[in-house]
Amino acid sequence: MILEIVKYGHPILRTRGKKVESINDDVKALATDMIETMRSSAGVGLASQQVGKPLQMTVIDVMGADRPWAMEIDGKPVTGEGLMPLVLINPVVTEPQGEQIGGEGCLSFPEIVADIKRADRVRVEATNLKGERFHFYCTGLLARAAQHEVDHLNGILFIDRMDSATKASLSGRLKRLQKETKSKLGVR
Ligand code: ZN
């Protein structure tokens, strides 16, 4: 089922996700719906907050993306085949290394793309849908997506990572989007 994506201005995007305590049928169904929703919007990642559920859960799929990335498990490079879409439950990003600056967008901010500085390589640890804890190292676009999505789970948005000049140049559009969202919600 394709879910509605929450837009900037909705307070849930600023809500830290609750830890997922058990991988039950609801969690599995939500993961399936999030993957379908991400694909239907041609996104590379989607956090549970973005579909109105403040949990520690995100999905990522960079397989079809036209920007470079790499993934390593137990010291060996892997292609992502059979691993993506990734469902990351209670994920933690650590060991940031290096730096990459590149265009970044967000499904909760339609049509807004801005250069964002991120670590080039990170370690990601998470629980999968089988309830197993696993970890990998990644670079490039996958590292960017992991940092962006795990930020969402903590109520942090990519606009918080923009330099002040970029954010200022987008302020009119951000205000409009926020107003639009709030008027849909019926709040001021
Ligand atoms: Zn996002």
Side-chain angles (χ1 to χ4, degrees):
M1 186 169 66
I2 294 171
L3 306 170
E4 192 185 338
I5 296 178
V6 166
K7 301 296 187 310
Y8 177 55
H10 195 301
I12 208 157
L13 291 177
R14 289 301 190 184
T15 307
R16 182 186 286 264
K18 260 201 227 140
K19 193 175 172 206
V20 176
E21 298 291 350
S22 83
I23 317 293
N24 55 28
D25 288 349
D26 287 348
V27 167
K28 288 178 191 165
L30 178 61
T32 304
D33 289 347
M34 283 171 65
I35 290 166
E36 209 178 320
T37 304
M38 169 177 71
R39 287 191 167 146
S40 78
S41 307
V44 297
L46 188 68
S48 56
Q49 272 82 351
Q50 291 178 280
V51 292
K53 310 262 183 201
L55 293 171
Q56 290 289 326
M57 175 161 153
T58 179
V59 296
I60 294 176
D61 191 347
V62 292
M63 289 301 270
D66 57 359
R67 285 158 72 183
W69 57 272
M71 187 177 185
E72 219 177 81
I73 295 178
D74 295 331
K76 292 190 187 80
V78 293
T79 62
E81 208 72 55
L83 293 166
M84 302 229 191
L86 288 165
V87 176
L88 305 177
I89 296 165
N90 304 329
V92 191
V93 169
T94 52
E95 299 179 34
Q97 278 176 42
E99 186 179 294
Q100 55 170 318
I101 298 174
E104 196 170 307
C106 179
L107 294 175
S108 295
F109 294 76
E111 287 157 43
I112 293 178
V113 176
D115 278 350
I116 310 279
K117 197 194 285 179
R118 299 276 186 189
D120 186 49
R121 177 183 160 98
V122 292
R123 180 186 192 270
V124 179
E125 184 181 322
T127 299
N128 64 21
L129 281 176
K130 292 180 201 152
E132 303 157 342
R133 203 73 185 154
F134 71 108
H135 74 267
F136 58 89
Y137 286 87
C138 55
T139 62
L141 182 63
L142 181 54
R144 176 176 294 281
Q147 291 167 82
H148 179 114
E149 299 312 328
V150 170
D151 268 357
H152 267 300
L153 306 185
N154 294 307
I156 299 166
L157 300 171
F158 81 143
I159 53 172
D160 307 336
R161 305 285 189 194
M162 284 175 191
D163 64 51
S164 51
T166 307
K167 199 174 172 188
S169 73
L170 290 168
S171 72
R173 290 169 73 183
L174 292 173
K175 274 193 195 119
R176 267 201 306 282
L177 179 57
Q178 201 167 30
K179 211 173 140 188
E180 221 176 85
T181 303
K182 287 189 175 166
S183 77
K184 263 188 214 153
L185 288 172
V187 297
R188 281 195 328 116

